[in-house]
Amino acid sequence: MVTMTYGEAIGEAHAQEMARDESVVLLGIDVGPLGGLFGTTRGLHERFGPERVIEFPISETGYTGTGIGMAIEGFRPIIEMQMADFVTVALDQVMTTMSKEYAVTGGGNRLPIVVRLPFGTNLSGEGYMGGAGPAHSQSHEAWFCHSPGLVVVMPSSPADALGLLKAAVRCDDPVVFMEQKGMYSTVSGEVPDGDHLVPIGEASVVRRGDDVTVVALGAMVPVAVTVAEQLAAEGISVEVVDPRTLVPLDEPTLLTSVRKTGRAVITHEAHRTGGFGAEIAAVLAEKAFSSLRAPVVRCAALDVPIPAGDDALRVLPGPRDLAESIRRVLQPVPA
Amino acid sequence: MTVAPALPETSAVTLYRAMLGCRLAESRLTAIALTGELQSHHSALNHEAIGVGVGSVVRVDDAVQTHYRSGAAVQHARGLTVRELVLQGFGLIPGPRAQHPGQGRTIRSTGLVGSQLPMAVGLAMAFRLRRQPNVVVACIGDGATNEGAVHESMNIAGVKDLPVVFVIENNGLGLSTRFAESTKATDLALRGAGYGIDARIVDGRDVTAVRSAAAAAVERARADRLPTILEVKVSRPGPHVSSLDDVRTPEELAAARAADCVAFERDRLISAGELTLEAEARIERELSAIVDRAVTEARALRADRARRPGHTARYSDAEAWALGHASDVPAWMRGRGPWSP
């Protein structure tokens, strides 16, 4: 076991996979000597050279599509967006081309691509990403979940970041890798030695509990664990489930937990309306309705563009919001 | 490096035959679409000289990115038969893909004009990094050149010295919008200067001119690893798609139809004594019969497919994927993990 930050784990996953497989290349902007906007890929350029770590002009559409062409020719590109927000100018490449290439070519062209999207904010409000404003703080995961042909993963710990990125690189189909940029340097944890892979499509029960299930995404996972520990002192037993992969969603793990507790709170940093929490709530309503003892509660960002600076914290979900949501779902339901 | 053409032989008559085969298939598909039997058809009409010219100078292991104008002719020049063109028009066989055995690497356009170009640049990047002596020829229309993806692609190809030939098929119309309403410059080849890319203007009526310009550009990409832009001037004899009206005046349409690449080549061959009227009529009869048989076959296949029950409730996601796309279902979709990398 080694201890590393979330950001270091992402860099380590690149290094391990690029050393293992020559066809793995990194495509991005400022990924060369600078090591990326957040420094997650520092050292890769020196180690693997400019033909494996390929720098592009500021042209997200151009280099995302270049990755598609390279994948058709047998490369396994990792495409880094400097921030998830910037994928909005390359969405046709991801949602219209990449997701459909395998299907529309009758299985002819497989695209083993990872699109890395540094999303979200620093929920603690500390540091550079404390609230980087409406165009540098977005959480878009739901869009990609709505585009069949894409796998969507979202790790919330250094070990999962390492293991899921390595698994994503080895996946023969495109994977959207949602990495929470506020966690790069603020979250550390132990990472297993050796070839650590986290299977795509498997949720993780992060904390066991009996009274209520909190389904948490990304940076809300550590928040949920903290809140669960606080509420334990009040005699409330909270189970925390991290889906880790959104598509394909590990429904059995979610359903098993909710059938046990009978109550669910879903929390994510993305906006409430049309967020992935709505999908999870719908799955629970469709498949665990008779087990639910209270309406499902969502604890998400308000439907307001994320403000800059500290005002972001008035829009994003925090520990107190989550604790209130949990208390609410535990209220007796009026007959 | 010698050019190994994809066509079995490249006599002028062979090129003419390829253009005519494509013309007859496309004319028939357009006519069928006008009856409502097909929803619509984006025809390759009068872009045959571009498709055949370009498709006949690249090697089988080079890549061509097609789009809906010259696409049928490019694929035909690279080995897709007239029968298969008809089946493709009926939606019965998949469109271009990287590995058609024996038919050359062909990649598709995406349905969003211009958005396919970065993919072509990616193939060129792969060839360059692997020191593979292959090239990419990417075909787009004049309308597509105003898309951001096209700008980004040409800029990347220029700055990275990629072995790609951009063929801009300038037929003067982006769907129904006239060239002068889309572009202030007189020629799209002028844009090459902005990307540091050599650019030429070519007469799209003349298959021989297209062929020699394309051959030079392909050789430059192969030998010198440098991109080229070819702006091929051509005219479109009908509407953007069979289901739409044409906005042009009768005079404009007549002029567009008069500049016909198949008629131009036929007249040239006949006046040069390379083709007799009898031989020309025989070729047309043979090709028409092939189109007739293919249409009969396509109709039967289509009727068979229509008997497949509809309604999503009958199918899982995986079953629907396999039925609708003729491809295996991706591993991750076959059910819950553990997905083994």
Side-chain angles (χ1 to χ4, degrees), chain B residues 88-153:
Chain B
Q88 205 177 62
F90 271 77
L92 293 163
I93 59 172
R97 52 194 263 191
Q99 309 291 350
H100 269 298
Q103 290 173 359
R105 278 203 192 97
T106 309
I107 52 172
R108 66 182 183 114
S109 59
T110 58
L112 277 68
V113 296
S115 83
Q116 73 272 26
L117 219 54
M119 186 197 286
V121 166
L123 266 78
M125 179 75 87
F127 294 157
R128 183 176 183 90
L129 290 174
R130 292 206 163 127
R131 279 118 185 122
Q132 207 173 308
N134 288 114
V135 306
V136 183
V137 179
C139 302
I140 55 168
D142 51 298
T145 61
N146 300 313
E147 285 280 7
V150 171
H151 162 66
E152 293 187 21
S153 300

Side-chain angles (χ1 to χ4, degrees), chain A residues 31-44:
Chain A
V31 291
L34 186 69
L37 185 60
F38 295 101
T40 42
T41 54
R42 204 170 284 145
L44 296 176

Side-chain angles (χ1 to χ4, degrees), chain A residues 201 243 245-252 254 276 279-280 283, chain B residues 336:
Chain A
T245 299
L246 307 186
V247 176
L249 183 64
D250 180 358
E251 292 184 4
L254 298 184
F276 195 71
E279 177 61 29
I280 295 174
V283 168
Chain B
R336 190 201 161 213

Side-chain angles (χ1 to χ4, degrees), chain B:
Chain B
M1 192 68 57
T2 53
V3 179
L7 282 177
E9 51 178 306
T10 48
S11 74
V13 173
T14 306
L15 294 172
Y16 173 71
R17 189 188 165 98
M19 286 165 62
L20 185 62
C22 185
R23 169 67 55 92
L24 294 172
E26 287 292 298
S27 301
R28 182 69 69 82
L29 287 164
T30 301
I32 290 170
L34 285 171
T35 67
E37 186 182 342
L38 292 174
Q39 232 172 20
S40 62
H41 185 65
H42 294 74
S43 88
L45 294 172
N46 209 29
H47 287 244
E48 295 92 344
I50 302 175
V52 169
V54 165
S56 64
V57 298
V58 289
R59 299 190 336 198
V60 168
D61 55 351
D62 291 331
V64 179
Q65 183 173 57
T66 66
H67 75 143
Y68 49 82
R69 287 293 169 240
S70 64
V74 166
Q75 292 181 79
H76 185 39
R78 306 198 85 203
L80 202 71
T81 62
V82 170
R83 168 185 166 266
E84 287 168 323
L85 287 183
V86 172
L87 294 183
Q88 205 177 62
F90 271 77
L92 293 163
I93 59 172
R97 52 194 263 191
Q99 309 291 350
H100 269 298
Q103 290 173 359
R105 278 203 192 97
T106 309
I107 52 172
R108 66 182 183 114
S109 59
T110 58
L112 277 68
V113 296
S115 83
Q116 73 272 26
L117 219 54
M119 186 197 286
V121 166
L123 266 78
M125 179 75 87
F127 294 157
R128 183 176 183 90
L129 290 174
R130 292 206 163 127
R131 279 118 185 122
Q132 207 173 308
N134 288 114
V135 306
V136 183
V137 179
C139 302
I140 55 168
D142 51 298
T145 61
N146 300 313
E147 285 280 7
V150 171
H151 162 66
E152 293 187 21
S153 300
M154 290 184 173
N155 185 53
I156 290 171
V159 78
K160 301 276 186 192
D161 293 334
L162 298 181
V164 55
V165 180
F166 298 110
V167 177
I168 304 172
E169 303 173 24
N170 187 351
N171 63 21
L173 286 167
L175 210 151
S176 74
T177 306
R178 287 173 175 82
F179 181 77
E181 290 158 13
S182 302
T183 306
K184 191 71 178 172
T186 50
D187 301 301
L188 293 167
L190 293 169
R191 294 192 185 175
Y195 302 117
I197 299 180
D198 191 65
R200 303 282 160 92
I201 295 174
V202 185
D203 179 1
R205 230 179 3 164
D206 182 353
V207 67
T208 313
V210 173
R211 228 171 159 261
S212 66
V218 162
E219 271 318 285
R220 194 160 167 271
R222 204 185 308 288
D224 306 332
R225 313 264 87 179
L226 287 174
T228 303
I229 295 171
L230 297 179
E231 180 188 5
V232 189
K233 308 269 194 187
V234 67
S235 64
R236 199 180 76 191
H240 165 70
V241 60
S242 59
S243 52
L244 288 177
D245 293 330
D246 205 309
V247 297
R248 288 172 286 183
T249 63
E251 294 73 28
E252 284 177 304
L253 259 178
R257 285 174 182 157
D260 187 291
C261 66
V262 175
F264 179 90
E265 184 63 5
R266 181 187 55 222
D267 294 349
R268 193 187 69 78
L269 289 172
I270 287 172
S271 62
E274 294 181 50
L275 184 69
T276 62
L277 286 170
E278 296 71 33
E280 197 275 327
R282 195 187 64 244
I283 290 171
E284 181 157 353
R285 271 200 311 278
E286 286 170 14
L287 292 169
S288 293
I290 292 169
V291 172
D292 287 343
R293 283 197 300 274
V295 169
T296 305
E297 181 187 356
R299 283 179 170 146
L301 285 167
R302 210 155 182 259
D304 194 44
R305 192 175 273 209
R307 280 191 283 275
R308 218 181 252 170
H311 307 302
T312 58
R314 304 182 75 101
Y315 304 110
S316 67
D317 288 347
E319 287 164 342
W321 180 300
L323 279 172
H325 299 302
S327 64
D328 290 339
V329 178
W332 57 265
M333 208 175 156
R334 283 188 210 124
R336 190 201 161 213
W339 175 83
S340 53

